Amino acid sequence: MSLQVEKLEKNMAKLTVEVSAEQFEEALKTSYIKNKNRFSVPGFRKGKVPQSLVEKMYGEEVLYEDAINEALNRTYSDAAEESGLEIVSRPEIDVTQVKKGQPMIYTATVAVKPEVTLGEYKGIEVERAKPEVTDADIEAEIKKAQDQNSRLIAVEDRPVADGDQTVIDFAGSVDGTAFEGGTAEDYPLTIGSHSFIEGFEEQIIGMSLNEEKDIEVTFPENYHAADLAGKPAVFKVKVKEIKVKELPEVDDEFASEVSDFETLDEYKADLREKLEKTKQAQATAENENNVVAKVVENASMDIPEAMIDLQVDNMIDDYAANMRRQGLSLEQYFQFTGMTMEQLRDEVRPEAQQRIRTRLVLEAVVAAEKIEASDESVEEELKKMAERYKMEPDQVKESMGDRGIERMKEDLAIQEAVDFLVAEAKLV
């Protein structure tokens, strides 16, 4: 294998890789072994046709696709390492020469890690986040506890009111024709949840138990089902249950039931202490984010689009994995929301770009200040991971390998850079 490297504009580069004729011949043999059961030649059992006869009967090009992929898999990683470039994107491959008995030549166009010019990064002045706990915060926590310990009471002597939890039957139609997904029985609906088309829940307010009514609404112009978007619809609705949430009285008895304290005053004091710790942690994170954001804003760099594309891919992969854990596929998400993959990519792209900018700037600070993760911090992190995964630290270290440990050191150095910037900043 031979390699030529050409630097392009905007932090792009082109690798021209020549795979020797011998290497390509090996790739053709691998392709033949992979595909030999596909070929039928009279006088030979399937899978027993010699490679030379396959190439003569079907044309040598029949093995090229898998041979090319094999050659790429065998050579690209070595070529990327030999180039000495910090490649930050997937390669865009273009095969420029492929013929049996000759070298295979391809180009790989890649993005390379851009240089960062740091602006002012020491003594950054930002407004200090204030971890203030108000009486309203305490009341909000008590309200959560009330909601969690509430009970539902059936209502029969009044009509539906805002905030009621109802059970309804409904059947929707457009131009007199029922549509898919527009009919349900015993459907639980909290009035005011805005989980239905705009105007639907408001028209249930005032309906009595077992009352039936036609509710007229119009589907939004951007509704995910194109055949319904912007169209008026009629829903025949019947109210089958009306329930209201009954909250417990906030007193000493309530405090003793929802906490380890006997009095309401003690319970409130404990809530305040916990909230102060939470708010302090939030303020610390906010101070860090504000300082780093200012440092990033002061820096300059030219990020290649291919690098952003890869970050977008990774973010969408994480997003899809999170949804799968909730029992939802990305395709179902698109179906429910009416969003497309292109729209999702556009939506996450600004955040992807900001993540890249932030990481690059912090790496530049690490380099400028010669920050290194200490052995002690690495050992401490290994202990935390061991506790999390119920393993011994040595087992964690072994499973991570040398490259994994290096990545950990890089991440720890990044956090030390954040700590350094905050310590140097002026929080006013």
Side-chain angles (χ1 to χ4, degrees):
M1 181 194 79
S2 65
L3 171 69
Q4 290 182 337
V5 179
E6 179 186 357
K7 297 285 184 68
L8 305 177
E9 293 181 342
K10 296 183 178 180
N11 291 305
M12 299 294 291
K14 182 164 72 173
L15 313 183
T16 300
V17 183
E18 182 176 306
V19 181
S20 70
E22 293 77 17
Q23 284 178 301
F24 187 60
E25 185 62 41
E26 286 298 315
L28 282 169
K29 287 180 182 176
T30 301
S31 176
Y32 161 72
I33 293 169
K34 179 180 178 181
N35 293 285
K36 63 183 181 179
N37 290 326
R38 291 172 44 206
F39 305 113
S40 296
V41 173
F44 292 89
R45 286 183 296 152
K46 254 191 175 181
K48 299 298 182 181
V49 186
Q51 180 179 340
S52 58
L53 190 54
V54 167
E55 293 173 343
K56 183 177 180 180
M57 295 287 293
Y58 290 89
E60 61 189 37
E61 295 85 357
V62 74
L63 299 176
Y64 278 2
E65 182 177 352
D66 284 325
I68 289 170
N69 290 334
E70 180 68 20
L72 291 173
N73 289 337
R74 289 184 182 184
T75 60
Y76 174 71
S77 293
D78 291 339
E81 185 174 351
E82 187 180 324
S83 73
L85 302 173
E86 286 193 77
I87 295 173
V88 290
S89 72
R90 294 190 177 94
E92 185 177 318
I93 302 293
D94 181 25
V95 179
T96 59
Q97 176 176 301
V98 55
K99 187 169 179 61
K100 184 178 173 63
Q102 295 185 17
M104 170 186 144
I105 301 174
Y106 69 90
T107 62
T109 304
V110 296
V112 296
K113 184 177 178 179
E115 290 187 10
V116 174
T117 302
L118 288 171
E120 183 183 3
Y121 68 93
K122 295 180 184 179
I124 293 295
E125 188 172 302
V126 297
E127 185 176 350
R128 183 188 297 273
K130 298 177 176 63
E132 183 183 359
V133 176
T134 66
D135 290 342
D137 294 328
I138 304 295
E139 294 305 317
E141 290 299 309
I142 291 174
K143 181 66 166 62
K144 286 181 190 176
Q146 277 185 290
D147 284 336
Q148 291 167 358
N149 291 274
S150 64
R151 59 176 184 161
L152 291 175
I153 305 296
V155 174
E156 298 181 356
D157 58 351
R158 67 161 175 79
V160 176
D162 191 21
D164 284 349
Q165 296 191 20
T166 65
V167 175
I168 62 173
D169 292 344
F170 63 84
S173 61
V174 172
D175 296 329
T177 302
F179 54 87
E180 186 178 355
T183 301
E185 293 184 353
D186 298 328
Y187 186 89
L189 175 64
T190 299
I191 306 303
S193 63
H194 304 291
S195 56
F196 254 70
I197 303 167
E198 186 176 351
F200 183 91
E201 294 171 29
E202 291 84 346
Q203 295 182 62
I204 293 180
I205 294 175
M207 290 181 66
S208 300
L209 192 63
N210 295 319
E211 181 181 349
E212 298 183 24
K213 177 181 175 180
D214 285 353
I215 289 179
E216 298 180 4
V217 294
T218 300
F219 284 99
E221 292 291 343
N222 61 348
Y223 194 65
H224 65 84
D227 57 330
L228 299 176
K231 292 186 178 179
V234 177
F235 285 86
K236 294 185 178 298
V237 176
K238 179 180 180 180
V239 175
K240 299 176 76 173
E241 290 182 21
I242 306 172
K243 292 183 178 179
V244 65
K245 187 184 291 184
E246 185 181 77
L247 301 177
E249 195 74 30
V250 178
D251 52 21
D252 289 345
E253 183 180 352
F254 169 77
S256 67
E257 289 177 353
V258 300
S259 73
D260 296 329
F261 302 96
E262 294 301 318
T263 68
L264 183 59
D265 287 342
E266 290 175 310
Y267 174 47
K268 286 184 176 181
D270 181 64
L271 284 176
R272 183 175 293 277
E273 185 179 342
K274 288 176 179 175
L275 281 173
E276 283 172 350
K277 290 180 181 177
T278 300
K279 293 259 187 174
Q280 183 58 59
Q282 291 171 345
T284 299
E286 187 177 341
N287 288 332
E288 288 182 356
N289 292 337
N290 290 341
V291 169
V292 171
K294 194 74 176 289
V295 173
V296 172
E297 185 183 328
N298 291 344
S300 59
M301 70 209 78
D302 188 5
I303 303 174
E305 291 298 312
M307 186 179 186
I308 302 173
D309 288 337
L310 180 58
Q311 180 67 39
V312 169
D313 290 342
N314 292 337
M315 289 172 65
I316 289 177
D317 287 345
D318 290 343
Y319 194 60
N322 287 334
M323 283 195 291
R324 282 196 298 272
R325 283 192 284 271
Q326 299 172 35
L328 192 67
S329 69
L330 201 57
E331 291 71 24
Q332 288 172 316
Y333 171 78
F334 290 148
Q335 195 174 30
F336 294 153
T337 62
M339 185 177 277
T340 64
M341 176 62 83
E342 184 178 358
Q343 288 171 327
L344 180 59
R345 292 183 68 85
D346 288 343
E347 188 176 281
V348 304
R349 195 171 188 82
E351 184 183 347
Q353 187 169 6
Q354 189 60 27
R355 285 188 187 184
I356 292 171
R357 286 179 60 84
T358 300
R359 180 77 184 198
L360 290 175
V361 168
L362 290 174
E363 287 176 352
V365 172
V366 167
E369 295 297 326
K370 298 180 174 55
I371 297 172
E372 291 184 10
S374 65
D375 291 339
E376 292 78 8
S377 62
V378 171
E379 291 303 318
E380 184 62 32
E381 188 64 22
L382 285 171
K383 284 180 184 177
K384 289 179 184 177
M385 293 179 67
E387 289 175 7
R388 194 180 312 139
Y389 298 115
K390 294 181 172 52
M391 298 168 66
E392 292 297 321
D394 287 343
Q395 291 176 307
V396 175
K397 191 173 183 178
E398 186 179 347
S399 66
M400 292 179 69
D402 292 341
R403 183 59 192 131
I405 295 296
E406 281 305 309
R407 288 198 192 97
M408 177 194 289
K409 288 181 177 179
E410 290 168 7
D411 290 341
L412 290 171
I414 290 292
Q415 184 55 53
E416 287 187 26
V418 173
D419 297 340
F420 168 81
L421 293 173
V422 173
E424 291 285 320
K426 298 174 184 175
L427 302 176
V428 297

